[in-house]
């Protein structure tokens, strides 16, 4: 699946997006896999309460299933307007 | 209904003059323009990042909800991204309805939702460095009134 990062999440991880091969069943599982990879992922995902997630461009929850999802995006709370 | 997400400058006056101009059933037009504010006097620019694709979908959903809830004759949202200078317009919202209460309320609703539910992130570049603007609790709380 395509995993995207925005704002300071993108800066901490160092890339805007990547293709991730995973068998994770929920967003939380995917985060656990990413955190185990490298320090920069651990730094970005250390405080989940500071993050939001979108699945296929819809805001979602961290316990949401990834079944059929093609695009996951992680970002801080939005500051539009 | 019009939603535009763009890097280019827009002319809020011209946009407003064109908005709902051919509608004779409209008795009220309300508009809001958001401008880059130099809070501490040392802002060199504000960088606005967004999530292409999701941005247009999220704003479209918010606009559809406003139109249905307040029976709007028309609605306009323009939101910029990229590097903006202090004093530059960031975004505008306009609503047209038969009566003013609906136009004002719908504009307030759109603003509150755009603030916290449209995927934009602001970064301020000042003499001190670069800082992401943190979302405020009061902005999240503002959604509860709707």
């Amino acid at each position: 699946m395509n995993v995207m990062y925005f704002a300071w999440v993108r800066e901490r991880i160092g890339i805007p997006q990547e293709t991730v091969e995973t068998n994770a069943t929920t967003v939380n599982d995917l985060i656990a896999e990413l955190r185990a990879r490298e320090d920069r992922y651990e730094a970005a995902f250390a405080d989940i309460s500071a993050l939001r997630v979108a699945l296929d461009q819809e805001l979602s929850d961290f316990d949401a299933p990834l079944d059929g999802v093609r695009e996951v995006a992680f970002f801080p709370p939005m500051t539009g307007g | 209904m019009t939603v535009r997400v763009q890097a280019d400058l827009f002319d809020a006056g011209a946009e407003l003059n064109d908005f709902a101009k051919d509608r004779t059933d409209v008795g009220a037009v309300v508009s809001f323009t958001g401008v880059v504010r130099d809070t501490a006097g040392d802002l060199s620019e504000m960088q606005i990042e967004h999530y292409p694709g999701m941005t247009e979908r999220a704003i479209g959903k918010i606009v559809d909800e406003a139109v249905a809830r307040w029976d709007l004759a028309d609605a306009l949202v323009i939101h910029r991204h990229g590097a903006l200078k202090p004093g530059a317009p960031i975004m505008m919202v306009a609503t047209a309805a038969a009566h003013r209460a609906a136009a004002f309320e719908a504009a307030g609703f759109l603003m509150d939702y755009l603030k916290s539910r449209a995927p934009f992130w602001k970064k301020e570049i000042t003499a001190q460095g670069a800082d992401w603007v943190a979302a405020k609790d009061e902005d999240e709380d503002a959604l509860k009134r709707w």
Side-chain angles (χ1 to χ4, degrees):
Chain A
M1 63 179 59
N2 188 31
V3 182
M4 306 179 77
Y5 311 107
F6 291 94
W8 59 255
V9 184
R10 170 179 55 74
E11 290 180 340
R12 268 180 216 180
I13 293 175
I15 47 173
Q17 59 181 299
E18 61 186 318
T19 302
V20 175
E21 298 297 331
T22 179
N23 294 316
T25 55
T26 67
V27 177
N28 278 323
D29 292 345
L30 174 64
I31 290 173
E33 281 185 15
L34 293 171
R35 285 180 74 162
R37 278 181 168 186
E38 287 177 52
D39 286 350
R40 58 196 171 109
Y41 289 94
E42 174 62 30
F45 290 106
D47 179 10
I48 295 298
S49 72
L51 294 177
R52 300 292 180 268
V53 61
L55 301 182
D56 288 333
Q57 306 190 351
E58 294 279 348
L59 267 186
S60 192
D61 298 313
F62 289 99
D63 56 2
L66 291 176
D67 194 29
V69 170
R70 285 172 300 177
E71 185 169 290
V72 179
F74 295 104
F75 41 79
M78 296 159 271
T79 52
Chain B
M1 314 310 137
T2 304
V3 173
R4 284 181 8 226
V5 179
Q6 62 188 50
D8 292 343
L9 180 67
F10 62 86
D11 180 337
E15 297 290 346
L16 190 56
N17 283 336
D18 278 345
F19 178 67
K21 68 175 179 185
D22 298 324
R23 296 290 297 251
T24 54
D25 55 341
V26 166
V29 170
V30 165
S31 78
F32 171 89
T33 305
V35 176
V36 177
R37 181 166 52 99
D38 184 0
T39 314
D42 64 350
L43 182 73
S44 59
E45 67 179 32
M46 178 173 275
Q47 296 174 353
I48 301 180
E49 182 171 334
H50 79 117
Y51 182 172
M54 180 174 170
T55 310
E56 292 80 358
R57 279 173 66 153
I59 298 176
K61 258 175 69 175
I62 295 164
V63 169
D64 286 348
E65 196 179 332
V67 168
R69 189 160 161 188
W70 284 279
D71 197 20
L72 299 179
D74 205 354
L76 166 72
V77 175
I78 302 172
H79 203 304
R80 297 176 71 193
H81 57 85
L84 309 183
K85 296 291 180 193
I90 301 174
M91 54 88 66
M92 81 175 279
V93 156
T95 55
H99 302 288
R100 70 180 185 279
F104 271 116
E105 279 185 30
F109 167 88
L110 285 170
M111 283 312 310
D112 285 347
Y113 270 82
L114 288 170
K115 196 106 201 153
S116 308
R117 292 292 182 272
F120 291 97
W121 300 276
K122 294 189 181 116
K123 190 181 202 181
E124 290 179 334
I125 314 298
T126 68
Q128 271 70 49
D131 271 313
W132 289 100
V133 175
K136 297 190 186 80
D137 289 342
E138 66 206 56
D139 290 335
E140 193 64 30
D141 290 344
L143 302 185
K144 293 175 188 156
R145 71 185 172 118
W146 307 110

